[in-house]
Every structure is written in C-alpha cells, then in structure tokens.
Amino acid sequence: MKKELKINYDQYSSWNDLSESDRSLIESARVVMRDAYAPYSKFSVGAAVLLSNGEVIKGSNQENIAYPSGLCAERVALFYAGSNFPSESVNTLAIVAEGDLVPLETILSPCGGCRQVMVETESRQKKAYRVILVSQNGEVVVFKSATDLLPLAFGV
Ligand code: THU
C-alpha cells in the first residue's frame, strides 16, 4: 500500500505579518543569537521558547573544540525550560540563525536531533506547540505542531 506524508505550514514573506507576540519572540531569539558561542562554525543560532506562564526561555548554540560536545540552540533552550520550569508547557518556539553556512533565503530548519527533542517535548506535555522558523532575509514559516517537522519520529 502506498502512503503519502504531507507537511503543513504557513509561510509569510516577512515577520512583520506575524502577531506582536510572535514578533517579540523572534526578537528574543535574535538577541540571544548574538551571544552564541560558535567559533568553529561561525554560524550563530538563537531559540526562544514561550512558556504557558508567559516566561520566555532563550538559548544559543554552544560549541566545543571537541565538536560533538557542543549543543544546538533549540536543545539548550528546551532543556533549560524542562529543567527549570518542569510544570509549564511550551506554547511557541522561535528559531533564528545568522552565518554563511546557509543562503540568506533559506529557512533555518532544525537538525534531526533537535526535531526528536522537540517532538518528545510535545508528547510529554500532551499539547502541540507552534514552531516559528525564520530565514536571514526575514521570511517566516510557522508550524502548528513540532511533530509536523518530524513525521514518524522514533519512539513517540
Ligand atoms: N545548530 C543549531 O544550533 N541549531 C540547528 O538547528 C542547526 C545547527 C548549530 C550547531 C552548530 O553550532 C552550528 O549551528 C553549525 O551547525
């Protein structure tokens, strides 16, 4: 039997088309991105998580000379949220990036490892959360659920 997977998302040509709350979350991600520790890739990533209590948790990528010891911005933010606000749920996650690694018009798309963590965060809280991805030239895509980014995820 042949089956098909569809990925649903909304696309905007500019983040100015988003709500005030979403724009402010993107701004938080952009601010934290400036302090990324990325001396090896020279690619800075910022992630901002809006929690159910209104708190905004921010994370940037943290690299290490032993390369696999570093961690992506999304996981830094989600693990901080899980550690310090275990009873709050994630409402929205915004991710931004800056650097030559990807073309300006390419939407920063989270790596597979981060997607797995994003999906499990969603399944733990039993509630979908929105994911906002932004390109360096300001285009935006919005997913209604982290699971949309990783169909057939392992174990959940
Ligand atoms: N990176 C992230 O922080 N998030 C992603 O979704 C993709 C990649 C980081 C890891 C590394 O520090 C740099 O970007 C280049 O891969």
Side-chain angles (χ1 to χ4, degrees):
M1 189 193 305
K2 193 171 174 185
K3 299 208 173 184
E4 201 174 309
L5 288 168
K6 283 198 183 128
I7 298 185
N8 294 304
Y9 57 88
D10 295 314
Q11 182 146 17
Y12 302 86
S13 52
S14 160
W15 69 55
N16 290 324
D17 299 334
L18 301 179
S19 68
E20 167 69 39
S21 154
D22 286 349
R23 278 186 276 135
S24 147
L25 199 63
I26 291 171
E27 184 53 26
S28 294
R30 285 174 57 78
V31 168
V32 76
M33 176 182 73
R34 291 188 204 125
D35 289 322
Y37 178 61
Y40 306 105
S41 71
K42 309 232 180 322
F43 189 71
S44 298
V45 185
V49 177
L50 175 64
L51 296 179
S52 47
N53 63 355
E55 193 95 30
V56 173
I57 305 302
K58 290 168 276 180
S60 61
N61 52 329
Q62 299 292 312
E63 298 185 347
N64 190 273
I65 194 162
Y67 288 7
S69 302
L71 198 61
C72 293
E74 299 89 322
R75 274 178 279 176
V76 169
L78 286 171
F79 288 160
Y80 184 94
S83 302
N84 293 284
F85 298 92
S87 27
E88 301 301 327
S89 56
V90 174
N91 180 297
T92 312
L93 165 64
I95 308 165
V96 301
E98 208 166 73
D100 294 337
L101 215 56
V102 298
L104 288 184
E105 62 281 7
T106 299
I107 294 285
L108 188 271
S109 199
C111 79
C114 285
R115 289 178 198 218
Q116 186 71 35
V117 169
M118 287 160 61
V119 165
E120 190 153 333
T121 299
E122 196 163 85
S123 69
R124 276 177 78 189
Q125 69 183 35
K126 298 186 180 63
K127 200 167 146 213
Y129 62 88
R130 295 164 63 249
V131 180
I132 303 174
L133 308 178
V134 185
S135 70
Q136 294 181 66
N137 69 357
E139 286 176 31
V140 181
V141 299
V142 181
F143 291 83
K144 289 192 174 66
S145 161
T147 305
D148 289 340
L149 281 141
L150 189 61
L152 305 178
F154 171 69
V156 288

